[in-house]
Amino acid sequence: MLSVLPFPALFAWLRGLSAEVRAAGRGDPGGAPAINELYHSRRLSLVRLAVLMVDDLPTAEDVVQDVFTALYRRHGPDLRGVTDPNAYLVTGVTNAARSALRRRRTARAYVAPPPKAIPAAEDEALLGESDREMMRALRGLTARQRQVLVLRYWSELSEGEIADTLRVSRGTVKSTAHRALSILRERLGER
């Protein structure tokens, strides 16, 4: 893919290749290769077509340049074997523009996963080993279980206050706390 070459560099590259082909006796020694004439006559209209499709001039120029490069690589400077080079170019530009739009849509649809919360270094340094073990065990609980335990033991709320805060029944608070404490006892033992 030569989409990084500016057009003057592409011309020089194509001229160099066509000179090599003519030197080998396979080109038309009398005049400019057909690809050059075709490029000069059709490039602007093809870029306009591509701009209408991709709505971006640099991408449109890259699409047209890539199609001309593919045409040259496949059929040579004299375009032997191409019955209608204009149709080939229009089809190639249309297909390449669609591919560019698909790549753009895929890139725009990608949503990076949210970063995980990482505790600050000083938080880990200030905690003792038993505290770190307790934090790991708490992370293994469901969000509701952690909420009930924090509200009950850290905020020292009653079961009724916890039920009002979380908008659940008192029975749900009791059963959730019981299950959470059972899980913690399993993981931490009787400490």
Side-chain angles (χ1 to χ4, degrees):
M1 186 176 231
L2 297 173
S3 62
V4 294
L5 288 177
F7 285 114
L10 178 66
F11 286 146
W13 181 73
L14 288 174
R15 271 191 232 113
L17 284 178
S18 62
E20 291 173 16
V21 169
R22 279 197 302 274
R26 287 177 275 166
D28 177 21
I35 188 92
N36 287 349
E37 295 168 9
L38 187 63
Y39 185 83
H40 289 293
S41 67
R42 295 288 292 146
R43 182 184 68 87
L44 288 178
S45 64
L46 292 171
V47 168
R48 287 184 194 115
L49 171 66
V51 165
L52 289 173
M53 293 185 72
V54 297
D55 196 31
D56 176 23
L57 181 61
T59 303
E61 289 175 340
D62 288 345
V63 162
V64 171
Q65 182 173 314
D66 290 343
V67 170
F68 269 102
T69 303
L71 176 66
Y72 180 84
R73 283 185 181 157
R74 186 164 189 172
H75 299 287
D78 296 324
L79 304 177
R80 287 186 210 128
V82 180
T83 56
D84 188 2
N86 288 321
Y88 181 97
L89 290 171
V90 170
T91 302
V93 167
T94 303
N95 291 337
R98 287 179 185 155
S99 294
L101 289 174
R102 275 193 298 274
R103 284 190 303 274
R104 187 183 295 171
R105 183 176 55 232
T106 302
R108 287 180 181 166
Y110 174 74
V111 177
K116 293 185 178 180
I118 299 173
E122 58 270 3
D123 291 346
E124 290 291 321
L126 294 175
L127 294 175
E129 182 57 36
S130 62
D131 293 333
R132 279 194 286 272
E133 200 173 335
M134 175 61 83
M135 294 301 284
R136 280 192 296 272
L138 283 172
R139 284 187 201 111
L141 299 176
T142 65
R144 174 62 52 90
Q145 290 170 337
R146 282 193 306 270
Q147 291 168 349
V148 168
L149 290 182
V150 167
L151 291 173
R152 184 171 182 185
Y153 295 106
W154 181 265
S155 299
E156 298 178 354
L157 296 180
S158 69
E159 289 174 356
E161 293 170 324
I162 295 171
D164 291 340
T165 302
L166 298 178
R167 295 185 179 146
V168 295
S169 68
R170 290 180 81 176
T172 301
V173 171
K174 285 182 183 182
S175 64
T176 303
H178 178 73
R179 271 188 246 117
L181 290 173
S182 297
I183 292 170
L184 288 177
R185 280 190 200 99
E186 264 181 41
R187 291 183 183 164
L188 299 174
E190 291 292 330
R191 296 184 202 163

